[in-house]
Structure formats: C-alpha cells, structure tokens
Amino acid sequence: MALADMTLAVQPPPTLAQIAAKVEQGTRIDAEEARWLWQNASVGELQRLAAIVRSRFHAPGECTYMVMRIVNYTNVCVAQCNYCAFYKLPTQAGGYVMSQDDVFAKLDELIALGGDLAAFNGGFNPALPLSYYCELFAAIRERYGESLEFYALTIAEFLYLADHAKLSYAEAAERLRASGVRWITGGGSEILTEGFRARHSKFKYTVAEYFEAQRAIIDAGLKTTATMVIGFDETLDERLEHLDRTRQFQDETRGLASFLCWTFKPYFTQLGGQLGGIEISTAEYLKHLALCRIFLDNIPRIRTSVLTQNQRALEGLNYGADDFDLPIEDEVTQKAGATISLDFERILDYARELGYTPRYRHVALAAKQ
Ligand code: SF4
C-alpha cells in the first residue's frame, strides 16, 4: 500500500464535541468513542452526557429502590474462582446447605424489615439435585404468593445446574418456570471476556455458554438482568468488551430488564492477596457508571450498588443510575469485606439531599402487571 493510502486509512481520534453531539442526538457511540471518553473526558462532561441518556428513560430527580436480601442457600462450590472468599469445597469443613425452613426464616425476616425481594445465590454444589431447587422455589411461591418476589439463581448457577442434571438450557429453564420461577438474573458475569474467565474462573463457564443460557432463559419466558463487576485486574479493553457484548445481546433479545455493576471486594480472596487487597475508588466506580449509562443506550434501568459502595453509591444517581437496592444480607460480598447498614432512612435521606425523590419499586407487584 502506498504511503498516501496508509495515511488516508488512519482515522483521526474523535473529539469531545463529535461524541457529545452523537449522544445529544441519540446516536449510538462505539467502543472506541467510549474509550476516548474514559481516557479524556472530564467527570463533569461524563455526568452531563450520562444525564442526557438517563433523561430518555427517567425524569430528573426521580429514582427507585427496593429492600431485598440475598439468600446464600449453600456455600459449597466446586468452581474455585480465585476472587471468591465465600466458597467451601465439598471436602472442606464449614460447608452448609439451607433447609426450606432456614430459607423461610430468612424470608420472614426480610418481610418484617419491609422488603419484598429475595435473590438466591449459592455455589456449584454437586450434592444438590434439580429437585432441591424446584421444590424450594415451588414452596416459596406457595407460602408467599404475590407478597414476595424472588430472583432464583444466577445464570452461573443455572449453567451448572443444567449441566449437572444433564438437561439442555431450554429444558432446565422450563423445569424452573414450572416450579414458579420468574427470574434468573445475570449474576456471575463478572467480566464477560474469555481471557478473564481463563485467568480467574476457569471451571465456571465460557462467555459463549453464558449468553446461550441467558437466551434460553428469555426464550422460556423468564425475566433476566445484566450485571458486571469491576475492580479485579481487568483492562479497559475487557470492560469495553463486556459492555459491547451486553449491548449487542440486548439488541438481539430485548430481554435485559436492568444493568447492575458493583465492585470487587478483595479481602480474604486469593486474587485480592495478589492485588495487595486494594479496592478501586468510589470515584472510579462512579465514572464507570456514567460510561455504562452513555454506552448502554438500550437498557432503561441502570442500577448503583449500595452493597459494595454503601451510602456513596447514591451519588451514582448523578452519574446516570436510576435505581438501587437496600440489601439486608449477602454473605458472598460480606465475607470479602462488604458492610451493610439497616438504617434505610439515613441512606434514603442521602438520596433526598442529592435532590432525588426515592420511590419503592415492588418487583412482586410488577410481576402481576
Ligand atoms: S464466585 Fe460463585 S461460582 Fe465462583 S467460587 Fe464463589 S460461589 Fe463458586
């Protein structure tokens, strides 16, 4: 190729004015433009662009929240992710499996504290057959009816469960749906690149399998969500690949009800030790939330993580987020250093100080509509 042709082939870097004009006009930005924003835009400009995209879905000053509990029904797991401080191998002491009565006690406490959403999250436990899950979820639906909704499993657990039961993803999704399940959330995604999986959770699943299972879940008529976790050793390229895959999947399926990003808690984990036990800053998390809102132009609900950022997560409302959980328990992140406050009014007051009117979002009621 002649030198002149090579010169012509090189694209000039985008400018802030060009990218801002695209966002203002509702034109999608690509991964290179997202990279440019991350590396060059001021925090104020990111907030401004995120607010523009947010305003297409939510009125300024409005936000929603839920009081919820994560029920860690078993900590026995064979996946051995090196960022996890929660699991016990089947041969190790300290493993547990909750009975239905154990779970009911947790759900009763949640309701007493004003919550109505439970999210089940445990390990890849080879001793638990599919019937454990189907019977548990059917019993919850029967006992609580429409007064409580539950996120049954994450995609990661669903993958293991289908594999372990020797069922296709479609068959496993149908069995769970018939047991009263309505939601299987996108948890366990962390960073959706094959490189990340190979470095940190090589026994878990591939990214291709993750999306194949999520597609089967949507096809079965179940609801699902997208998630992401940052603050490991992931590169900017990997973060952008995760966002790009998520946006593309949403284009194809329209099945992702929300996107939630939280931050890695490194304490007592193998990877955390290698990284020196350092968490990313809240400022980096908030900046990332803004980029997510700008890039994920096809996901209406962008959620901010009180579980891992505490009250300061609400500042994410000024970075494009519109929704948050008030969790009362999650053993997985608490084991790795997360702290939980049950002083919900103090947290909600912070949202009000920031200029927002928080409104409770009832997933249980929405399911009936
Ligand atoms: S993160 Fe989940 S799948 Fe990985 S080891 Fe921990 S419990 Fe198991």
Side-chain angles (χ1 to χ4, degrees):
M1 187 186 284
L3 185 58
D5 293 338
M6 288 175 69
T7 309
L8 280 177
V10 174
Q11 294 288 322
T15 66
L16 178 59
Q18 287 168 339
I19 300 174
K22 284 177 95 169
V23 175
E24 287 158 5
Q25 291 158 13
T27 304
R28 177 169 282 188
I29 65 166
D30 63 24
E32 279 315 304
E33 289 162 330
R35 180 197 311 281
W36 191 95
L37 283 178
W38 180 262
Q39 291 174 333
N40 299 287
S42 69
V43 167
E45 191 62 22
L46 283 169
Q47 286 181 280
R48 188 182 79 79
L49 297 179
I52 290 170
V53 182
R54 185 190 196 278
S55 72
R56 298 200 175 108
F57 302 102
H58 309 278
E62 285 186 5
C63 66
T64 48
Y65 72 99
M66 301 179 291
V67 175
M68 61 89 72
R69 145 170 256 153
I70 297 177
V71 180
N72 306 111
Y73 58 92
T74 182
N75 64 346
V76 176
C77 187
V78 292
Q80 301 179 66
C81 308
N82 72 356
Y83 46 78
C84 180
F86 168 67
Y87 76 92
K88 299 285 182 194
L89 289 169
T91 50
Q92 281 182 300
Y96 69 80
V97 175
M98 286 185 189
S99 67
Q100 286 191 6
D101 284 343
D102 294 335
V103 171
F104 293 160
K106 297 254 177 206
L107 301 184
D108 290 347
E109 187 185 29
L110 169 67
I111 290 170
L113 286 167
D116 64 357
L117 177 69
F120 286 83
N121 182 212
F124 296 3
N125 186 338
L128 293 184
L130 181 61
S131 57
Y132 168 88
Y133 298 90
C134 291
E135 287 165 15
L136 174 64
F137 296 140
I140 293 169
R141 190 62 78 196
E142 185 181 346
R143 180 180 164 108
Y144 295 96
E146 300 297 332
S147 65
L148 176 139
E149 189 48 80
F150 58 92
Y151 290 165
L153 310 174
T154 60
I155 304 269
E157 293 156 278
F158 173 83
L159 278 158
Y160 179 76
L161 191 55
D163 196 28
H164 193 52
K166 298 189 170 37
L167 295 173
S168 69
Y169 300 145
E171 289 166 337
E174 180 50 36
R175 294 276 282 275
L176 290 165
R177 198 191 62 75
S179 304
V181 168
R182 294 173 181 156
W183 289 86
I184 295 177
T185 57
S189 67
E190 287 88 29
I191 295 288
L192 287 169
T193 71
E194 301 297 4
F196 182 89
R197 306 247 72 86
R199 291 202 302 282
H200 302 305
S201 58
K202 56 179 177 288
F203 302 123
K204 209 165 178 179
Y205 53 80
T206 66
V207 176
E209 287 165 341
Y210 179 94
F211 282 119
E212 192 186 336
Q214 193 161 37
R215 198 179 291 271
I217 285 163
I218 293 168
D219 289 346
L222 300 175
K223 297 170 197 274
T224 189
T225 64
T227 66
M228 180 175 194
V229 188
I230 60 169
F232 306 95
D233 62 351
E234 78 282 357
T235 62
L236 177 57
D237 276 350
E238 288 183 312
R239 288 186 189 178
L240 294 173
E241 183 178 335
H242 182 112
L243 292 178
D244 206 32
R245 283 175 182 262
T246 302
R247 189 171 72 175
Q248 194 177 329
F249 184 79
Q250 178 74 331
D251 278 345
E252 292 163 10
T253 65
R254 294 283 152 189
L256 301 173
S258 63
F259 172 86
L260 169 63
C261 179
W262 66 92
T263 52
F264 172 50
K265 289 288 178 183
Y267 309 102
F268 313 110
T269 68
Q270 188 188 338
L271 178 62
Q274 290 165 15
L275 298 176
I278 297 169
E279 290 185 57
I280 64 166
S281 67
T282 298
E284 181 173 350
Y285 173 68
L286 295 172
K287 182 178 163 185
H288 177 73
L289 268 188
L291 193 70
C292 293
R293 171 58 91 182
I294 296 164
F295 192 81
L296 298 174
D297 59 355
N298 54 2
I299 301 184
R301 180 162 287 131
I302 302 289
R303 316 189 64 227
T304 182
S305 170
V306 173
L307 180 61
T308 57
Q309 293 296 319
N310 302 108
Q311 178 176 305
R312 286 206 62 196
L314 300 197
E315 292 169 34
L317 300 170
N318 288 334
Y319 289 75
D322 60 279
D323 186 82
F324 54 94
D325 291 330
L326 295 178
I328 68 169
E329 182 186 32
D330 174 32
E331 200 185 333
V332 175
T333 49
Q334 286 173 293
K335 276 247 159 70
T339 55
I340 284 177
S341 167
L342 297 183
D343 189 351
F344 299 149
E345 270 314 307
R346 182 180 53 78
I347 300 171
L348 293 172
D349 275 345
Y350 191 47
R352 294 179 189 111
E353 279 171 33
L354 292 168
Y356 293 86
T357 305
R359 179 174 54 80
Y360 197 100
R361 180 163 70 87
H362 292 280
V363 179
L365 289 180
K368 287 195 292 187
Q369 290 162 5

